[in-house]
Amino acid sequence: MYCGLCHTLGQRYGQAARFILNYDFTYLAILLSEPEESGASAARCFASPLRPREYLESTAAMSLAADESVILAYWQLRDGVADHDWLHGLKYRAVSAVLEPAYRKAAAIRPGFDEAVRTQLTRLSALEKAQCASMDEASDAFAVLLGSVAGEVDDPVRRRVLEQLLYHLGRWVYLVDAADDLKKDAANGNYNPVALRFGLSNGIWTPQSRGEFALSLDHSIRMMATAFELWDFGVWTPILETTIYQGLFHVGKAVLDGTFRTGYREEERKKRKKVEEST
Amino acid sequence: MNDPYQILGVPETATDEEVKRAYRELARKYHPDNYHDNPLADLAQEKMKDINAAYEQITKMRSGGRSGGNGYSSAGGYSGYQQYGGQSASGSSVLQQVRIAIQTGNISRAEALLANYSDHNAEWNFLRGAVCYRRGWMDEAKRYYQTACQMDPGNAEYRQALEFMERGTQTAYRPGGQPFGTEACGGNLCLPLCCLWTLCNGGGYWFCC
């Protein structure tokens, strides 16, 4: 799937666009996929120039994931431009300029999604500027953004299921990310919704606030799980099931324990790579 | 109608015991308790209906073959959905309308009605919490339920809602019946499972606590 999405990006948007590929976008493609696997092909590529590697042939879901990935990556870069001064924003500006033609094309194919991403990112930066102390409200912008990925899905039941699943995935990601940045944000004086909500100084959890926060994460995971069970994801069921019922708990726990940053990401990356390549 | 065996996910050759086990697992997964106040509860209800019908059909077919009497006389299906919060009467007609809006899934309308209602009493806080929960604003939902309980400590409906926010995830469905929760893993309970997993997968440390 990872390789399939990469080829899809290349076919639709040219070589440069292939560099935005990451595992988050691959997960997106999996969630949007049909229950059956598409046919596999093999080809040489930059990452494997000698030995032809197997990849899944492009499907409608992969095209959708590719279009939406380009839009997300582009706005992520523009966000980087806005967040930095002129000099430090240079590299973001340079890369986003390279991605510009791909973005224009993707935005023309998926205007609804592009609009949703723009609206929610504007909302998010306004909330951050206003130092929003509600962690639900702050995470809502990113959650709605991710949920709108499902907006282009035709089947109404499937769209509802995916919207709910992605909303809570977005909420979870935003909150876990904020929890992971607690110490860094406390040191730099940056906005952190979780610190504001629980009144944490120096980014250190109290047992009670930690418990409350974990519970809130669990409610989101529960919502993801109950949504996930209402649609048949076919061949993708095992990997999604493991992520929802195990992976999220363990990542959340590692972040709360403060063990996520120390090598955990690297281990997780290797492990995920292993899983992805076999699917 | 679809193949009942396919719905329960068992082959036609499955024993009565296997059919029953598959049915119980699915019923646990789609049980109303697991979709309590969930915005997708209607979809779960449909699933539950299919599962009940499939189980009933299989038991009927099998008992028919054995000239009846023996074994399954009733399917023992789980009963239908009980709409939560429907039985309580509201103190005001506006709040009653809010309840109806929530039940019919019209969350925007419920929100608008609540915003225009100036008396922020216990029931208002409770309903505000219910709206937040459906929107996925879990932290705010809990806080509104807390306020409702503080204002009216004797109210069973509010207490039940708050208790669900505080302990509800513990009873959530998880395949294999493992405990559900971020903090639930890494304890003594999880450790043996982890070791098992690591051994089985040879260096599957990603999921290890």
Side-chain angles (χ1 to χ4, degrees), chain B residues 9-187:
Chain B
V10 289
E12 270 182 56
T13 52
T15 64
D16 289 354
E17 196 48 47
E18 282 163 351
V19 171
K20 200 170 175 179
R21 214 180 307 132
Y23 167 71
R24 286 227 171 112
E25 177 74 8
L26 287 171
R28 209 162 62 80
K29 191 189 281 185
Y30 298 111
H31 194 272
D33 285 350
N34 206 32
Y35 284 86
H36 181 80
D37 278 2
N38 194 304
L40 302 177
D42 56 315
L43 300 177
Q45 191 175 5
E46 288 300 313
K47 278 265 189 197
M48 199 71 196
K49 266 189 211 151
D50 291 347
I51 295 159
N52 278 335
Y55 185 60
E56 209 164 321
Q57 199 187 340
I58 293 174
T59 46
K60 221 177 252 168
M61 282 183 328
R62 292 194 171 188
S63 65
R66 271 186 253 120
S67 66
N70 196 4
Y72 294 100
S73 50
S74 94
Y78 285 92
S79 58
Y81 272 63
Q82 200 89 58
Q83 261 303 339
Y84 168 72
Q87 64 276 62
S88 316
S90 282
S92 89
S93 63
V94 176
L95 295 185
Q96 189 59 42
Q97 283 176 45
V98 173
R99 282 178 187 269
I100 293 167
I102 293 174
Q103 271 171 40
T104 51
N106 195 345
I107 301 303
S108 307
R109 179 175 154 75
E111 208 162 32
L113 286 167
L114 284 171
N116 287 324
Y117 195 74
S118 54
D119 181 12
H120 295 184
N121 57 20
E123 192 185 5
W124 182 90
N125 276 284
F126 165 73
L127 292 173
R128 195 66 222 269
V131 165
C132 283
Y133 183 79
R134 277 168 183 74
R135 282 230 184 278
W137 291 36
M138 305 310 197
D139 188 45
E140 306 271 310
K142 198 179 89 187
R143 297 216 272 176
Y144 281 112
Y145 288 152
Q146 268 167 347
T147 311
C149 284
Q150 277 160 14
M151 291 171 97
D152 186 359
N155 189 303
E157 188 185 25
Y158 309 162
R159 214 178 38 239
Q160 194 192 342
L162 180 60
E163 239 160 61
F164 177 77
M165 287 315 292
E166 283 169 347
R167 270 178 288 279
T169 55
Q170 288 168 13
T171 55
Y173 169 83
R174 189 174 171 189
Q178 293 166 24
F180 189 101
T182 301
E183 298 283 31
C185 79

Side-chain angles (χ1 to χ4, degrees), chain A:
Chain A
M1 175 55 94
Y2 185 78
C3 296
L5 186 62
C6 189
H7 282 282
T8 309
L9 277 167
Q11 283 156 20
R12 287 172 84 86
Y13 296 108
Q15 292 300 335
R18 294 174 78 160
F19 288 98
I20 67 164
L21 182 71
N22 63 27
Y23 290 108
D24 301 338
F25 294 146
T26 312
Y27 257 97
L28 218 58
I30 288 179
L31 278 170
L32 294 170
S33 278
E34 297 299 317
E36 292 90 29
E37 221 166 43
S38 58
S41 293
R44 292 188 178 86
C45 68
F46 283 135
S48 178
L50 298 175
R51 187 173 62 91
R53 279 269 274 273
E54 275 210 329
Y55 69 95
L56 291 180
E57 276 161 22
S58 206
T59 60
M62 273 194 248
S63 304
L64 176 58
D67 297 345
E68 296 186 328
S69 300
V70 168
I71 293 171
L72 281 171
Y74 177 78
W75 285 112
Q76 221 170 349
L77 287 164
R78 296 310 301 178
D79 206 35
V81 175
D83 279 354
H84 295 79
D85 56 49
W86 188 83
L87 190 68
H88 292 96
L90 260 181
K91 66 172 178 195
Y92 294 99
R93 223 169 296 134
V95 185
S96 69
V98 173
L99 210 58
E100 182 91 34
Y103 162 72
R104 277 180 200 283
K105 188 177 162 194
I109 304 173
R110 318 274 178 198
F113 181 69
D114 181 51
E115 176 68 37
V117 171
R118 247 185 306 174
T119 312
Q120 295 309 323
L121 285 179
T122 312
R123 211 180 125 213
L124 189 60
S125 77
L127 285 167
E128 286 177 356
K129 269 201 195 91
Q131 301 269 313
C132 172
S134 160
M135 65 179 198
D136 284 336
E137 196 178 351
S139 55
D140 186 68
F142 187 67
V144 171
L145 187 160
L146 210 57
S148 59
V149 163
E152 307 265 338
V153 170
D154 291 329
D155 184 295
V157 170
R158 184 164 177 231
R159 189 169 56 233
R160 275 181 71 197
V161 166
L162 283 176
E163 262 170 7
Q164 172 81 345
L165 209 169
L166 287 162
Y167 178 93
H168 282 282
L169 184 62
R171 181 179 186 266
W172 185 89
V173 166
Y174 185 85
L175 290 178
V176 164
D177 204 41
D180 194 36
D181 286 342
L182 271 176
K183 287 214 172 75
K184 199 182 83 192
D185 287 342
N188 303 338
N190 286 343
Y191 168 72
N192 188 303
V194 176
L196 277 179
R197 158 65 179 88
F198 293 105
L200 305 178
S201 51
N202 306 323
I204 295 162
W205 288 105
T206 64
Q208 203 215 338
S209 54
R210 178 182 159 141
E212 270 190 67
F213 181 72
L215 201 64
S216 207
L217 292 181
D218 288 348
H219 272 289
S220 268
I221 297 175
R222 180 187 200 161
M223 283 302 192
M224 281 184 243
T226 51
F228 163 73
E229 298 291 357
L230 291 171
W231 187 257
D232 181 11
F233 289 91
V235 293
W236 308 108
T237 303
I239 185 170
L240 292 171
E241 193 177 278
T242 314
T243 307
I244 291 170
Y245 288 107
Q246 296 182 40
L248 296 180
F249 290 137
H250 293 300
V251 171
K253 176 122 170 74
V255 165
L256 288 177
D257 286 342
T259 53
F260 185 67
R261 283 173 171 273
T262 53
Y264 193 92
R265 278 184 172 155
E266 187 56 20
E267 284 181 16
E268 184 207 16
R269 196 186 62 80
K270 279 188 207 149
K271 171 71 195 168
R272 261 168 58 175
K273 198 165 173 209
K274 218 165 83 185
V275 176
E276 299 284 353
E277 277 173 359
S278 57
T279 51

